[in-house]
Amino acid sequence: MNIDLPTLWFGVVALTFTIYFFLEGFDFGVGLLQPFLARREAERRAMIGTVGPFWAANEVWIILAAGVIFAAFPVWYGALMTSLYPLFALILLALIGRGVAFEYRAEIDHRRWRLFWDVTSFICNALPAFLWGVIMTNMVRGLPIGAGARFQGTPLDAFDLFSLLGGLATLSLFVLHGATFLLLRLETGSELYTRARAAALSFGAAATVLVLLFVYVGFVREELFNSFGYAEWIFPVAAALNLGLIWLALTLKRDALAFIATGLTIVASTATIFLSLLPNVLPSTLGDAYTLTVQNSASEPYTLRLLTWVGVIFLPLIIGYQAWNYYVFRQRVTESGGKPSGSVLPDTEA
Amino acid sequence: MNEILGFSALDLSRFQFATTSIFHYFFVPFTVGFAFLIAVLQTLAYRSGSARMENLTRFFGHLFFINFAVGVVTGIVQEFQFGMNWQGFSNFVGNIFGVPLALEVLMAFFLESTFLGIWWFGKGRIPAWASLACIWIVSVGTMISAFWIIIANAWMQHPVGFEIRDGRAVMTDFSAIVFNPKGLEWSAHILTGSLTVGAFFVLAVSAYHLRRRHEVESFRTSFKVALVVALVGSLGVTLSGHEQGQSAVRDQPMKYAAFSALWDTPTGNQMPESLLALPSNGLRENRLEVSLPYLGSFLAFNNFNEKAQGINELQREYVAKYGPGDYVPWVWPVYWSFRVMVGLGGVMLLVSLYYIWRWRQGKLDDPGRLYPLLLVMPLAPHLANFSGFIATEMGRQPWIVQGLLRTQDAVSNLSPLTVLLSLVAFWVVYLTLIGLDVFLLTRTARAGIHEPDVETPSIPSPEYLPEGVRS
């Protein structure tokens, strides 16, 4: 395979989506687990505290992913977003809701105020976690794209059993990823930690079943993943093996290993999606002539060369200071640390 | 179905874009200006080593944080909209327009969101110098972000460094795009305008507490800092605005004519400036007009004997150049929003000068007769921004990219119902956000500084940490 500029930038798109799902995956998961794992207010605060300093920077990766598609593949950008308009609109509204919920929940010490934000947060974490799976499924399978890269279908085309299965797969994976992230961030002896372990085990099972089912349907029924050209089984098998590894790590109480394994499952799944697309970026279900490929939807070489220079300079820098962010907040979150020491605020029970 | 309630997908998409941009634009200039003020305050705190100043910074930091959250989340919508609602635009300009957007994310968004988190939550966990560095990085980040988005917008108003290949714009000279004269002028205008947003907010909050004799020493400091920034900002915004009017005459004469409701090219050897008019697109003239001779020439050309072309003449020229069509923007909102912007700029300048005068009189601790005005002044720069946005964006219609792409050719082929539903959803969410933001800002601002740990500033102050977010 020849790596030319458009293919390189397709790789960058895949990479930014992978990093996005890896990072935001666990803050979606923590948000989704919060109502089920935390019983007391201090526990709720501790759970939010595990992602408090990180979520905003994690979210920037999707802004980057969109920006990169826009700049490097403008035709793909327009076609994808227009075709799946309602899904993206819902994701945007949900990203607004969860961001504000994270920040505003603690502003007023009142039970109903917090309850409102907890409910908002749950819904707004669930929506994107589910919809990203639906979007990715549609992206691989293709959409009714006609002449001029214009969408010819209806908003309902995005939904069928297969894409819903894709949504459930990402949802369960992100919850699992959130659970293993909590194992790294919570005080090891606490009740909350114990509950997070239990959640990791049960969601590990659920995610295994759903991901395997998705891959099976994708391979056998939809014949999606056979465009790899070579070793098409590597990434799905890697994802499956990782899910096994998670179970092993949880049994052996190796928290870091469990988190790495859920992360690798997400990486392998995302890689499967993007590798199976190549050399296309958005197949048309109306005929090969309309299919958007890496080559026919890319920007001109001048733009891509410019982007390459900028990426080479800034991406390592960003990864560097984000790593520093995680280093600064490396300590585990304690329940008492979830509330300011010596605070006059009572630990109100909800 | 091509229309719903009489609106096409184009109308609704335009309305949605205006809505989401304007809402977003309530938060962005505030973030840019306010971050700078906080960075200055924290620098003073760092240099003096005073716990009092540290708490003052933390207090304003809390207010900043409340606002920043909304600014970030509404910004994501801005980016996705280009693909969702404006597929024709994305296809046509992606090669060029996407680049500053991607640069904004790479150079600014990551900086802002990462270092703001470290600054806010890392108090007591990182050394004081690192904390100071973090807030300055955030401040610079907000400015870089503004710069790139202005460069992107400036290209739409004054396209440079490109050629048309296979029916789309292709970048040929990136440096021409970065150094687009329009973009540089606007950067100055937008950055100084943003400073006024932050400054008048800090002025109002400080005046409120000075009046109540709360923490007088602290709020006197923030009042002074904000006053200087307000003066510099309102002077800068006026001067850079004047520059821009002059470049509009050259590059976007139709927009300039709409700013002035100048239908016919003046017949004499000078151009009057309209002070009060009721423009009518239907009649192609003003129903009522009061104007001052020579002023138009001075504003547009810095002399008293040059004149710009009128709308009617430009329309004839454009039809000859671009083919049949209506190239006249909707004049009355452009004309009036332009005047509201300029008027508010004048008010801001006068208020700043009045308080500088009081400062020199040694009456700073008492906000004086203008106190009620000072409390509502934070609205003025917001309204000026809003009006400026309407004037400049409506003034360039029907072009989405001046002279190259019409708005009607840029829109996605969506069903009006789809767009309407999203529009309603955005309205509901955004109105809620504005309400919450204003409610929390007022509540926190009024609560003021109540800091028990003045002696131990290295320990994070409970009041100024959202609970549950410390580990």
Side-chain angles (χ1 to χ4, degrees):
Chain A
M1 189 168 53
N2 249 340
I3 301 283
D4 50 18
L5 273 175
T7 314
L8 173 75
W9 276 90
F10 178 77
V12 176
V13 172
L15 180 72
T16 42
F17 267 104
T18 308
I19 298 178
Y20 173 66
F21 289 143
F22 183 99
L23 293 176
E24 188 117 293
F26 65 70
D27 56 57
F28 284 145
V30 170
L32 283 163
L33 285 166
Q34 195 223 21
F36 303 105
L37 297 189
R39 305 216 170 120
R40 289 174 296 117
E41 174 56 20
E43 291 179 342
R44 281 188 207 108
R45 288 178 189 167
M47 281 189 74
I48 297 170
T50 61
V51 292
F54 312 123
W55 74 267
N58 293 348
E59 197 160 278
V60 179
W61 285 96
I62 193 56
I63 310 182
L64 181 63
V68 167
I69 302 185
F70 193 2
F73 302 94
V75 182
W76 180 17
Y77 191 63
L80 181 70
M81 304 259 166
T82 313
S83 311
L84 301 175
Y85 186 97
L87 280 71
F88 282 108
L90 279 174
I91 284 185
L92 291 174
L93 291 165
L95 291 182
I96 292 175
R98 69 191 286 273
V100 179
F102 270 127
E103 302 300 354
Y104 285 0
R105 184 187 188 277
E107 288 295 326
I108 294 179
D109 190 28
H110 189 279
R111 196 176 60 87
R112 263 198 232 142
W113 173 267
R114 287 191 303 249
L115 183 67
F116 171 76
W117 290 117
D118 287 343
V119 172
T120 308
S121 164
F122 179 78
I123 298 170
C124 293
N125 278 299
L127 269 176
F130 176 76
L131 290 176
W132 279 122
V134 180
I135 288 175
M136 288 292 141
T137 313
N138 275 290
M139 203 168 87
V140 190
R141 192 180 33 188
L143 288 157
I145 304 284
R150 296 277 181 171
F151 182 58
Q152 305 293 341
T154 72
L156 291 177
D157 290 350
F159 298 98
D160 65 358
L161 280 178
F162 185 48
S163 66
L164 295 181
L165 182 63
L168 288 177
T170 51
L171 183 73
S172 61
L173 257 183
F174 291 157
V175 174
L176 172 64
H177 195 40
T180 56
F181 180 72
L182 285 174
L183 296 182
L184 287 184
R185 298 283 295 140
L186 292 169
E187 224 176 348
T188 30
S190 64
E191 287 173 46
L192 197 54
Y193 175 88
T194 318
R195 274 179 241 138
R197 269 183 64 85
L201 277 167
S202 42
F203 273 96
T208 310
V209 171
L210 287 165
V211 170
L212 289 180
L213 194 60
F214 179 77
V215 169
Y216 170 78
V217 177
F219 257 115
V220 179
R221 303 288 300 275
E222 305 269 340
E223 299 185 344
L224 276 187
F225 303 132
N226 10 10
S227 56
F228 280 13
Y230 63 99
E232 65 267 18
W233 46 270
I234 286 184
F235 285 93
V237 169
L241 281 179
N242 276 315
L243 287 165
L245 188 63
I246 293 160
W247 180 82
L248 189 70
L250 288 172
T251 322
L252 296 175
K253 307 204 168 183
R254 300 286 295 272
D255 295 344
L257 188 64
F259 178 71
I260 290 170
T262 55
L264 284 178
T265 309
I266 291 176
V267 171
S269 308
T270 318
T272 308
I273 299 271
F274 280 93
L275 276 173
S276 65
L277 268 174
L278 271 178
N280 302 330
V281 289
L282 191 59
S284 167
T285 51
L286 300 180
D288 288 345
Y290 299 126
T291 287
L292 303 184
T293 66
V294 169
Q295 302 301 332
N296 74 15
S297 62
S299 284
E300 299 278 321
Y302 181 90
T303 300
L304 292 177
R305 270 199 303 274
L306 181 71
L307 287 173
T308 307
W309 279 108
V310 175
V312 165
I313 296 167
F314 285 98
L315 278 175
L317 201 65
I318 290 166
I319 292 171
Y321 61 68
Q322 285 214 337
W324 183 56
N325 187 16
Y326 282 90
Y327 176 78
V328 169
F329 298 101
R330 64 194 176 281
Q331 280 159 318
R332 285 174 185 268
V333 179
T334 60
E335 261 178 62
S336 55
K339 198 163 69 78
S341 54
S343 164
V344 287
L345 297 176
D347 185 9
T348 37
E349 285 298 320
Chain B
M1 190 171 57
N2 292 322
E3 285 194 348
I4 191 163
L5 306 170
F7 293 109
S8 65
L10 172 64
D11 301 328
L12 292 164
S13 287
R14 282 185 63 185
F15 197 45
Q16 176 162 308
F17 193 84
T19 301
T20 49
S21 312
I22 288 168
F23 272 111
H24 181 53
Y25 206 58
F26 281 123
F27 302 102
V28 174
F30 191 25
T31 304
V32 176
F34 202 11
F36 176 77
L37 278 154
I38 291 172
V40 171
L41 288 176
Q42 184 158 344
T43 308
L44 296 178
Y46 180 78
R47 291 178 63 111
S48 67
S50 122
R52 181 180 65 73
M53 282 301 296
E54 184 75 21
N55 287 330
L56 183 73
T57 312
R58 215 59 195 156
F59 165 72
F60 281 114
H62 187 179
L63 292 167
F64 178 77
F65 209 75
I66 290 173
N67 186 72
F68 184 78
V70 191
V72 172
V73 291
T74 52
I76 305 179
V77 181
Q78 285 307 100
E79 186 190 34
F80 276 72
Q81 265 192 110
F82 294 116
M84 289 166 64
N85 292 71
W86 305 99
Q87 189 184 5
F89 174 79
S90 300
N91 289 352
F92 184 76
V93 303
N95 261 295
I96 295 168
F97 191 85
V99 174
L101 229 57
L103 284 174
E104 184 192 15
V105 185
L106 284 166
M107 292 174 69
F109 282 173
F110 279 111
L111 274 189
E112 292 172 59
S113 54
T114 310
F115 285 94
L116 184 69
I118 299 176
W119 178 70
W120 185 248
F121 299 118
K123 202 80 188 166
R125 206 179 278 264
I126 52 171
W129 65 264
S131 169
L132 182 64
C134 281
I135 190 66
W136 274 110
I137 290 173
V138 172
S139 170
V140 171
T142 61
M143 291 180 188
I144 296 175
S145 165
F147 173 76
W148 285 118
I149 213 68
I150 293 162
I151 289 299
N153 185 279
W155 190 84
M156 294 160 74
Q157 314 263 353
H158 182 56
V160 286
F162 73 99
E163 63 185 46
I164 302 290
R165 221 178 280 163
D166 299 330
R168 61 180 189 169
V170 172
M171 190 189 287
T172 53
D173 184 357
F174 181 62
S175 62
I177 291 167
V178 176
F179 297 106
N180 187 346
K182 204 104 194 165
L184 300 180
E185 275 167 26
W186 279 4
S187 299
H189 195 58
I190 303 278
L191 286 178
T192 47
S194 302
L195 289 180
T196 63
V197 180
F200 279 100
F201 179 76
V202 173
L203 273 181
V205 174
S206 307
Y208 176 85
H209 291 289
L210 281 179
R211 174 86 161 201
R212 276 159 191 73
R213 322 292 309 157
H214 293 159
E215 302 275 344
V216 173
E217 215 181 321
S218 300
F219 284 113
R220 192 190 294 136
T221 314
S222 56
F223 194 94
K224 282 182 194 165
V225 170
L227 187 52
V228 174
V229 176
L231 182 69
V232 172
S234 25
L235 268 176
V237 85
T238 310
L239 293 175
S240 56
H242 179 62
E243 283 294 309
Q244 266 174 265
Q246 307 197 331
S247 78
V249 181
R250 286 192 308 273
D251 306 325
Q252 293 175 291
M254 183 63 100
K255 187 200 266 188
Y256 185 83
F259 282 165
S260 303
L262 184 71
W263 292 96
D264 296 307
T265 311
T267 44
N269 58 359
Q270 56 90 18
M271 179 167 70
E273 179 68 22
S274 153
L275 297 178
L276 184 77
L278 293 177
S280 156
N281 270 49
L283 299 174
R284 302 263 151 157
E285 63 179 27
N286 297 328
R287 285 214 180 83
L288 168 91
E289 181 160 11
V290 182
S291 52
L292 213 63
Y294 296 103
L295 181 62
S297 296
F298 173 72
L299 289 176
F301 303 101
N302 278 348
N303 63 42
F304 293 101
N305 50 21
E306 262 182 271
K307 52 192 187 179
Q309 287 173 291
I311 294 170
N312 294 329
E313 184 184 337
L314 288 165
Q315 164 70 16
R316 285 192 294 277
E317 271 183 19
Y318 286 2
V319 169
K321 193 169 172 191
Y322 302 113
D326 186 0
Y327 298 92
V328 182
W330 193 13
V331 178
W332 81 257
V334 176
Y335 173 89
W336 280 106
S337 54
F338 183 77
R339 266 146 191 77
V340 169
M341 172 184 76
V342 173
L344 286 169
V347 173
M348 292 191 283
L349 189 54
L350 289 177
V351 171
S352 320
L353 287 170
Y354 172 76
Y355 278 100
I356 293 279
W357 176 72
R358 283 186 74 86
W359 185 355
R360 293 193 55 107
Q361 304 267 307
K363 294 186 198 155
L364 205 63
D365 289 353
D366 169 19
R369 283 228 192 101
L370 287 190
Y371 174 68
L373 177 67
L374 206 51
L375 287 193
V376 294
M377 272 310 279
L379 291 176
H382 279 299
L383 285 177
N385 282 335
F386 171 84
S387 313
F389 184 88
I390 298 280
T392 198
E393 299 305 317
M394 286 187 76
R396 87 176 124 123
Q397 293 301 328
W399 299 109
I400 195 166
V401 181
Q402 185 74 36
L404 296 177
L405 184 69
R406 272 176 255 203
T407 311
Q408 67 193 55
D409 302 322
V411 74
S412 305
N413 61 335
L414 294 161
S415 90
L417 182 66
T418 309
V419 187
L420 181 69
L421 288 176
S422 67
L423 178 60
V424 171
F426 280 119
W427 264 95
V428 171
V429 170
Y430 279 21
L431 285 178
T432 317
L433 284 183
I434 289 244
L436 282 167
D437 187 64
V438 171
F439 166 68
L440 286 176
L441 282 180
T442 338
R443 187 177 183 274
T444 312
R446 288 167 59 122
I449 307 171
H450 38 133
E451 174 50 66
D453 293 331
V454 272
E455 296 306 315
T456 51
S458 62
I459 294 171
S461 49
E463 273 78 359
Y464 301 122
L465 287 180
E467 309 133 357
V469 277
R470 286 197 301 153
S471 46

